[in-house]
Each structure stands twice: as structure tokens, then as C-alpha cells.
Amino acid sequence: MFLSSLLDVSQQTTDVVKWVSLGTVFLLLGVIAIICFSVKKRTYDAKHIAAAGITIGLSFALSYAKISPLPYGGSITLASFVPVLLYAYVYGIADGLLAGTIFGLLNFISGPYILTPFTFILDYLLAFASIGFMGIAKKFTKKQTFNVVLGTVGVFAIRFVFHLISGVIDFMDDAVWVDLPDWAMANAFVYSLIYQLVYIPADCAIAAIIMYILAKTKVLDSLVKIITPKEKKAVPTAVSAEETAAEQTEELAPTESVSENISTEDPEEQDHD
């Protein structure tokens, strides 16, 4: 009975997974297109784009070094979040959200598994977009080590919430991991909570430890310096040149007025003086 219900769910969602996978590819292309067309509003120089590509690529590669203790998604990786966390830490919330979303889409394409389109949004878009939270970590305190560790824990806490909600939906669709006591099996929230606790805290601990070591050994400072683009000096434009000329004219105006006043004074008074 239990096995047949799982097979039914799998059969019903096969087509959905195919279509969502195809939609994910187009969504990824759409994200790239948005980046290209938003260059005028945001500054994406070569170093900025290279940093995004390298960190996302490293995170994706590290995601393959993993332990998967659960059959329905969820794994403990070799600090796969660390490179994109570093990118978000340097470039802020918006770029962190974007990098996290791309990282999540790549994870889905490499191993798609969903039960409903909504769980896809929770598990692969929102959960990975939580990386953007790292963009405000540097504003917490003046201690970098504390900031990066707290930022990492915050990212995984937000990720945990999204996976928890997705797990509740999975449980309601009979996608259960293992038989638990009746008090756990009777509550979708409790079951999902136990499921997420198996792997997310461990994945968070590995990432937090790596970030702590990088910050403590000052390696983080070097990495931040490498991927941070140098500020460009503003090039004078025609408008700014006109404004400068206008300012110079205004500065000379009072001097000319004084000269005129002197020339209009009574010659007798000038002689008397």
C-alpha cells in the first residue's frame, strides 16, 4: 500500500518535473537576460561578472561533494554555500539574491526532484535566494569574524524555514522518509521539522566553521580584496564642464560688481581720499 502510493505520486509528477525542468532552463536564461539589460542601472564590470561566475561555479562544483542521508532531497555538502556567501558578503543583498537564485536553478537542473511546482519555488528559488541575507552581514558589528558566522547562520535559518514549509507539502502528498512514532507521523509540521534537522544544521555548521577559519586567518580579507572591483574615477562630461564654467563666472561676478562701484564713485571724493 505504502509502496504503491509512492509509485503513484512519482508517476503523476514525472511530467511536471519535465516541464518545470524546461521552464527552469528558460528562467535561468531570463535571469541572465535581466543582468545584461540592467547594466545601465547597475555597474557590472569584468571583475564583478567574473567574481559571480567563479563563486557560483565553485559552489556548484562543491555541491557534488556531498552525503545524502535522505531519499527525497537534502544533503550535507562540502561547504558548497561558502563561495556564494563570500560573493554576497562583498556585493550586497541584490547581487547575493541573484547569485543564490542562479545557484539554486543549477542545483535543480543537475538533479531535479519536486512534487509540486510550489515546492520547486520553495526548495530551489527562495531557499537558495536566502544567500542574499549575507549582503547585510558586514553591517552587524565591527568584528568581521562574528559577522560572517552570524550571516552564515542567518542564511541557513531562512533556508531552513523554506525547506520546512516545502516538507509539510511533501508529507501531505505522502512523500514520507521513514516510519516515525505516531505522534510524529500524525503531524506534517513535526515530520518535516525532523526531516530538515537531519541535514541542514550539519551543512550550516560546516559552512560556518569554514567562514570562521577564513576570517580568523585573514584569508577572507585577501579573498574580499581579490573579488572587489576598484572604484573608477569619474570622467568629466560636457555638462560638468559647463557647470564648472558657470561656477567660475559666478565667482568672478562679485569682483566685477566691486570694480563698477569704484568706477562710478564721485571723482572729487576719490581725490579727497
Side-chain angles (χ1 to χ4, degrees), residues 50-126:
I54 292 171
T55 53
I56 294 172
L58 283 173
S59 288
F60 186 56
L62 289 172
S63 67
Y64 280 92
K66 62 185 178 181
I67 300 173
S68 300
L70 303 168
Y72 300 112
S75 56
I76 303 170
T77 66
L78 187 61
S80 63
F81 268 52
V82 167
V84 283
L85 286 174
L86 177 61
Y87 176 79
Y89 182 75
V90 173
Y91 286 99
I93 297 176
D95 290 307
L97 287 169
L98 189 59
T101 301
I102 294 174
F103 180 37
L105 291 174
L106 291 173
N107 269 267
F108 177 79
I109 293 172
S110 65
Y113 177 81
I114 60 168
L115 286 179
T116 67
F118 187 56
T119 57
F120 161 74
I121 294 173
L122 289 168
D123 285 330
Y124 294 99
L125 296 183
L126 297 179

Side-chain angles (χ1 to χ4, degrees), residues 2-107:
F2 170 71
L3 215 39
S4 62
S5 63
L6 281 182
L7 290 174
D8 290 339
V9 171
S10 177
Q11 185 64 32
Q12 292 170 4
T13 57
T14 299
D15 293 336
V16 176
V17 171
K18 288 180 180 178
W19 283 109
V20 173
S21 298
L22 183 61
T24 300
V25 174
F26 284 106
L27 182 59
L28 183 57
L29 293 175
V31 170
I32 296 173
I34 290 172
I35 296 173
C36 294
F37 286 110
S38 64
V39 171
K40 294 180 180 179
K41 296 181 180 179
R42 298 180 63 82
T43 303
Y44 287 101
D45 58 9
K47 197 171 187 179
H48 193 154
I49 296 173
I54 292 171
T55 53
I56 294 172
L58 283 173
S59 288
F60 186 56
L62 289 172
S63 67
Y64 280 92
K66 62 185 178 181
I67 300 173
S68 300
L70 303 168
Y72 300 112
S75 56
I76 303 170
T77 66
L78 187 61
S80 63
F81 268 52
V82 167
V84 283
L85 286 174
L86 177 61
Y87 176 79
Y89 182 75
V90 173
Y91 286 99
I93 297 176
D95 290 307
L97 287 169
L98 189 59
T101 301
I102 294 174
F103 180 37
L105 291 174
L106 291 173
N107 269 267

Side-chain angles (χ1 to χ4, degrees), residues 267-273:
E268 296 180 357
E269 292 180 359
Q270 292 181 4
D271 295 339
H272 178 72
D273 291 338

